[in-house]
Amino acid sequence: MLQISKLISQGAGLAPVLVKRASTLELDWDVRQKSRFDATDSLGRQLGVFLPRGTLVRGGDVLIAEDGSMVRVIAAPQAVLRITACTAHGTPFDLTRAAYHLGNRHVPIELKPDHLKIEPDHVLADMLRAMHLTVQEVEEAFEPEGGAYSAGGHGHTHAPAATPVPAAVPPAAHVHGPDCNHGHDHAHAPQAIKPVVIQIHPRKPHSH
């Protein structure tokens, strides 16, 4: 069995011609949401996939085998419920309401500009129809949102940490040089008083 422990999201940085020549692996969502599974690629090779826990495998991702070969992942069509706004009785905003209610139930959901997709569930289908939404069961690839903390998410650029402000440093003593010509209307410390030497001479007697 060929071991795989590396995934390159959407084949980023790989030459398209090499990705096109790679073997393929068609998987439904039930398998792709697992980080450890066995599978067989288009060349008939038995693969043992061991990815970091929490990794979601998406259609278009490329797996790198231990021998350096590449395997391109294809999201297999599967049964899903396709949810659209009813043009006769509702508005596109109904999709936003539906996404809110489904999210509260922690339902895996794929978000599209004009429709939603979830895995088949007759209870949820009835709820959505009661909200004047159109629900159809179709066979399509399913790529639900992974959540804010799922592994393998895209990178975010964060603002640099604030530079700590140094403690206030007492200002340096104000020194006046010989060429100082600015106004001195601010107070200065009094200068030290130098002692004055007084000489007393003895008085000579006056002659009368």
Side-chain angles (χ1 to χ4, degrees):
M1 178 177 288
L2 195 59
Q3 301 293 316
I4 292 178
S5 59
K6 183 177 180 181
L7 178 149
I8 299 179
S9 178
Q10 302 301 297
L14 298 175
V17 64
L18 295 179
V19 175
K20 187 176 181 180
R21 293 175 182 172
S23 66
T24 58
L25 185 60
E26 192 168 350
L27 305 170
D28 62 17
W29 173 244
D30 184 59
V31 176
R32 287 186 289 110
Q33 63 180 306
K34 300 174 182 177
S35 54
R36 286 164 170 75
F37 56 87
D38 296 337
T40 304
D41 71 359
S42 59
L43 297 179
R45 300 182 300 176
Q46 296 296 314
L47 308 176
V49 180
F50 298 91
L51 299 172
R53 292 199 177 276
T55 301
L56 301 178
V57 182
R58 301 290 189 177
D61 288 348
V62 176
L63 302 173
I64 307 298
E66 60 184 344
D67 64 355
S69 62
M70 297 184 295
V71 181
R72 178 166 51 90
V73 178
I74 298 174
Q78 62 183 83
V80 294
L81 297 181
R82 197 174 195 274
I83 307 154
T84 55
C86 176
T87 56
H89 304 96
T91 69
F93 180 71
D94 293 336
L95 285 176
T96 303
R97 293 178 58 243
Y100 171 80
H101 288 289
L102 293 171
N104 277 347
R105 290 164 174 76
H106 303 287
V107 176
I109 176 173
E110 182 175 351
L111 306 176
K112 294 292 185 180
D114 61 348
H115 68 274
L116 309 174
K117 282 192 282 188
I118 63 173
E119 293 176 300
D121 185 306
H122 71 279
V123 174
L124 293 177
D126 290 342
M127 178 194 76
L128 293 166
R129 291 189 178 102
M131 296 169 61
H132 303 295
L133 291 157
T134 301
V135 182
Q136 296 175 304
E137 185 167 336
V138 296
E139 291 280 332
E140 294 181 358
F142 186 46
E143 295 283 10
E145 291 292 304
Y149 301 101
S150 61
H154 60 275
H156 294 274
T157 302
H158 298 277
T163 303
V165 179
V169 178
H174 185 67
V175 179
H176 296 282
D179 297 325
C180 178
N181 57 5
H182 60 277
H184 293 178
D185 54 354
H186 50 282
H188 294 279
Q191 296 182 354
I193 300 175
K194 296 181 180 180
V196 178
V197 179
I198 301 175
Q199 293 182 352
I200 302 176
H201 299 279
R203 296 178 62 184
K204 293 180 180 181
H206 295 280
S207 58
H208 296 281

